[in-house]
Amino acid sequence: AQSVTQLGSHVSVSEGALVLLRCNYSSSVPPYLFWYVQYPNQGLQLLLKYTSAATLVKGINGFEAEFKKSETSFHLTKPSAHMSDAAEYFCAVSDFDNFNKFYFGSGTKLNVKP
Amino acid sequence: DTEVTQTPKHLVMGMTNKKSLKCEQHMGHRAMYWYKQKAKKPPELMFVYSYEKLSINESVPSRFSPECPNSSLLNLHLHALQPEDSALYLCASSLQGSSPYNEQFFGPGTRLTVL
């Protein structure tokens, strides 16, 4: 089955600093990848998704992710962190045999310091 | 309308109670999902409905009973739950089709506490 690994369960950055959240996938064929954000006591919101049309994907709230096949990675970045970015971030991949089934990474909690 | 709604927002129940969680969407999505999420963990898939038929059951205990009365509505009936079932229950929906790029839209969740 497909899987994603998120390195770093907690990431802390200062406001205005670069945000880098890591996601590596396990697949021998191009995966279908998604990044979601979850604020406390809320549901998940889609930030962006990889559709194979472009390796650099731009999402909402200034986030973007770059698909790197050679590194089997889909890391999420934002040039300048804002206090409102503090949340839990999940990388996910959809199953090849059943596109309705998602496999989520373990999540990374982003803390933004003033 | 691009949202998934869930009711109630919070639910406290005893182990002998019967209760139901409700989820609704009006985006024309034909796939609907129930997830369970424990604190500091990713969502765990419980059930998937595709065109109002149960297509995936991730070996969920029978004390959880899903129902999809129509294409817009999804229920989760709860009976004889255990304290370890306390969690955030998330509903989601997506377009049903052959595209692998269909994202899932999540509701805000129901915070369930079993006493």
Side-chain angles (χ1 to χ4, degrees):
Chain A
Q2 294 76 45
S3 66
V4 289
T5 301
Q6 291 183 245
L7 291 177
S9 58
H10 289 82
V11 170
S12 187
V13 301
S14 297
E15 191 173 21
L18 171 71
V19 175
L20 171 61
L21 304 182
R22 300 177 186 273
C23 174
N24 288 88
Y25 63 89
S26 170
S27 173
S28 59
V29 296
Y32 311 113
L33 294 159
F34 305 80
W35 272 103
Y36 281 87
V37 61
Q38 186 177 32
Y39 298 100
N41 296 312
Q42 294 189 27
L44 278 69
Q45 180 184 12
L46 181 73
L47 283 174
L48 48 82
K49 62 182 180 182
Y50 173 64
T51 63
S52 77
T55 56
L56 183 62
V57 182
K58 294 189 183 299
I60 63 171
N61 301 340
F63 283 94
E64 60 183 38
E66 187 172 7
F67 178 77
K68 291 187 176 180
K69 185 177 178 181
S70 61
E71 299 177 8
T72 61
S73 69
F74 190 56
H75 300 332
L76 183 71
T77 61
K78 183 173 180 177
S80 176
H82 192 273
M83 296 297 290
S84 61
D85 295 326
E88 187 89 27
Y89 291 79
F90 293 100
C91 182
V93 62
S94 63
D95 191 289
F96 290 129
D97 297 321
N98 186 334
F99 299 142
N100 289 338
K101 190 167 182 176
F102 278 20
Y103 298 95
F104 285 90
S106 55
T108 297
K109 185 166 185 178
L110 176 65
N111 178 46
V112 182
K113 300 174 289 186
Chain B
D1 187 357
T2 58
E3 66 172 358
V4 176
T5 60
Q6 290 188 244
T7 54
K9 190 171 176 62
H10 300 276
L11 178 63
V12 179
M13 59 186 291
M15 290 190 286
T16 59
N17 292 158
K18 286 185 180 181
K19 297 287 185 183
S20 296
L21 309 185
K22 179 180 173 181
C23 172
E24 200 161 4
Q25 58 85 16
H26 296 285
M27 295 179 278
H29 291 171
R30 302 306 296 273
M32 296 187 76
Y33 312 76
W34 280 115
Y35 287 88
K36 173 183 177 181
Q37 187 179 27
K38 301 285 271 186
K40 304 184 192 304
K41 297 289 186 183
E44 298 174 41
L45 183 63
M46 300 174 71
F47 304 103
V48 180
Y49 273 82
S50 176
Y51 293 102
E52 296 92 71
K53 294 191 187 309
L54 184 65
S55 64
I56 297 177
N57 177 341
E58 293 288 271
S59 302
V60 178
S62 60
R63 57 185 183 269
F64 295 92
S65 176
E67 178 195 22
C68 190
N70 59 57
S71 60
S72 300
L73 192 57
L74 185 67
N75 298 319
L76 186 63
H77 303 297
L78 315 172
H79 173 55
L81 295 192
Q82 303 298 309
E84 59 265 28
D85 297 321
S86 298
L88 182 68
Y89 287 83
L90 294 165
C91 175
S93 70
S94 70
L95 287 169
Q96 173 65 57
S98 58
S99 170
Y101 306 123
N102 292 333
E103 66 264 37
Q104 295 182 17
F105 292 76
F106 284 81
T110 293
R111 175 70 62 187
L112 174 67
T113 302
V114 182
L115 301 176

